[in-house]
């Protein structure tokens, strides 16, 4: 695998059978276990059919015409039992340094991820909706005179609670930003 696809952070929730991974390229992916085979999504079926058509075209050396769902055409495959990708985003612009899965209410699941550029992302791990993305203090670091600034802090730890999200940032020994639950989402919605 290329350097950009190197896994840099992993979180696993045994009770929910969910695995999350962050990569050096800033991609975050969630996989969920299923003990039953799963159907492909409509987008996956369309992609599979396109690739199957390209393979048939390449093997015969001549262009083929679209025949739709004829009896001779094979059905789209099922995903086997096991881990299947359920969510993916590329919101981070640098290496993902931390991922955490947090149960949220009845059947809810939040994915918290942070990158080497000190960005924090809160995602609904079920729907894939980005709930909040930004710096832990809510604003980008100021750079005096527009010139190069100091390297950004890196988020090293997250401590979730029912009411607060505390973020410890390096290189300071202990810097904590207390953000009331829901305030970050409200601020992001107000800014949009």
């Amino acid at each position: 695998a290329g350097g950009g696809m190197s896994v840099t952070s992993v979180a696993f929730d045994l009770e929910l059978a969910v695995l999350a991974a962050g990569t050096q390229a800033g991609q975050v992916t969630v996989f969920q276990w299923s003990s039953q085979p799963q159907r492909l999504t409509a987008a996956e079926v369309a992609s599979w059919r396109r690739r199957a058509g390209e393979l048939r075209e390449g093997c015969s050396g001549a262009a083929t015409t679209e025949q739709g769902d004829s009896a001779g055409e094979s059905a789209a495959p099922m995903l086997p039992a096991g881990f299947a990708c359920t969510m993916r985003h590329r919101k981070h612009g640098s290496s993902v340094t931390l991922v955490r899965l947090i149960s949220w209410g009845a059947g809810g699941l939040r994915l918290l991820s942070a990158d080497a550029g000190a960005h924090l992302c809160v995602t609904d791990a079920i729907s894939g909706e980005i709930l909040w993305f930004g710096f832990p203090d809510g604003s980008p670091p100021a750079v005096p005179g527009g010139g190069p600034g100091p390297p950004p802090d890196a988020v090293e730890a997250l401590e979730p609670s029912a009411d607060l999200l505390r973020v410890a940032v390096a290189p300071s020994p202990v810097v904590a930003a207390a953000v009331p639950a829901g305030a970050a989402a409200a601020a992001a919605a107000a800014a949009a």
Side-chain angles (χ1 to χ4, degrees):
M5 291 309 291
S6 299
V7 174
T8 55
S9 186
V10 175
F12 180 66
D13 186 308
L14 182 61
E15 185 176 322
L16 298 174
V18 174
L19 172 75
T23 69
Q24 186 176 5
Q27 181 172 306
V28 177
T29 307
V30 176
F31 301 91
Q32 187 160 22
W33 176 265
S34 174
S35 50
Q36 301 295 321
Q38 300 292 311
R39 293 190 180 280
L40 297 175
T41 66
E44 291 168 323
V45 170
S47 177
W48 175 81
R49 285 188 175 149
R50 181 182 47 79
R51 282 187 294 219
E54 289 171 359
L55 288 174
R56 283 192 304 267
E57 190 175 299
C59 290
S60 68
T64 59
T65 59
E66 185 64 34
Q67 297 181 3
D69 288 331
S70 64
E73 187 175 288
S74 61
M78 298 280 286
L79 290 173
F83 280 104
C85 177
T86 58
M87 189 215 75
R88 179 181 323 193
H89 74 72
R90 295 180 185 183
K91 193 74 175 166
H92 295 286
S94 58
S95 179
V96 176
T97 57
L98 182 86
V99 291
R100 288 281 283 286
L101 291 164
I102 299 173
S103 296
W104 194 268
L109 184 64
R110 299 292 191 255
L111 172 68
L112 304 176
S113 55
D115 65 34
H119 290 98
L120 179 66
C121 186
V122 181
T123 309
D124 182 320
I126 305 298
S127 71
E129 179 183 4
I130 304 290
L131 302 173
W132 187 78
F133 181 77
F135 291 97
D137 67 358
S139 62
V143 178
D153 292 335
V155 177
E156 289 187 338
L158 296 170
E159 180 185 332
S161 73
D163 299 321
L164 298 174
L165 173 65
R166 290 188 175 85
V167 181
V169 210
S172 304
V174 177
V175 175
V179 179

